[in-house]
Amino acid sequence: HADAAGLDRIVLLGDRMNAAASAATATPTHAARSAEDAGAALVDWLSAGDNVLVKGSRGARTEAVVPFLERRA
């Protein structure tokens, strides 16, 4: 589904995401243990003008990815 949606990369956040990341076949996928780890992975991949969709739960602190990226922009 990620390929059909035109996604270039997927970053999954949370302790239980390793299995989901392993199941992804064609789209490069990273399982991050923290928002900071997710942000660091994105910083390595992103270029100027890229779009990022951050979606997740408050329990996983997904919203912390955005300020992490902003500090490194």
Side-chain angles (χ1 to χ4, degrees):
H1 298 297
D3 296 330
L7 301 178
D8 294 320
R9 299 197 186 275
I10 299 171
V11 177
L12 304 171
L13 178 57
D15 291 332
R16 294 185 244 171
M17 291 296 113
N18 285 330
S22 297
T25 54
T27 302
T29 305
H30 174 74
R33 297 191 68 106
S34 68
E36 292 77 17
D37 181 33
L42 287 167
V43 166
D44 288 343
W45 294 329
L46 292 173
S47 299
D50 285 352
N51 293 310
V52 177
L53 169 66
V54 176
K55 181 185 181 319
S57 69
R58 294 276 173 126
R61 295 191 55 242
T62 308
E63 70 276 6
V65 173
V66 174
F68 183 90
L69 293 174
E70 289 174 335
R71 286 191 303 271
R72 279 148 184 82

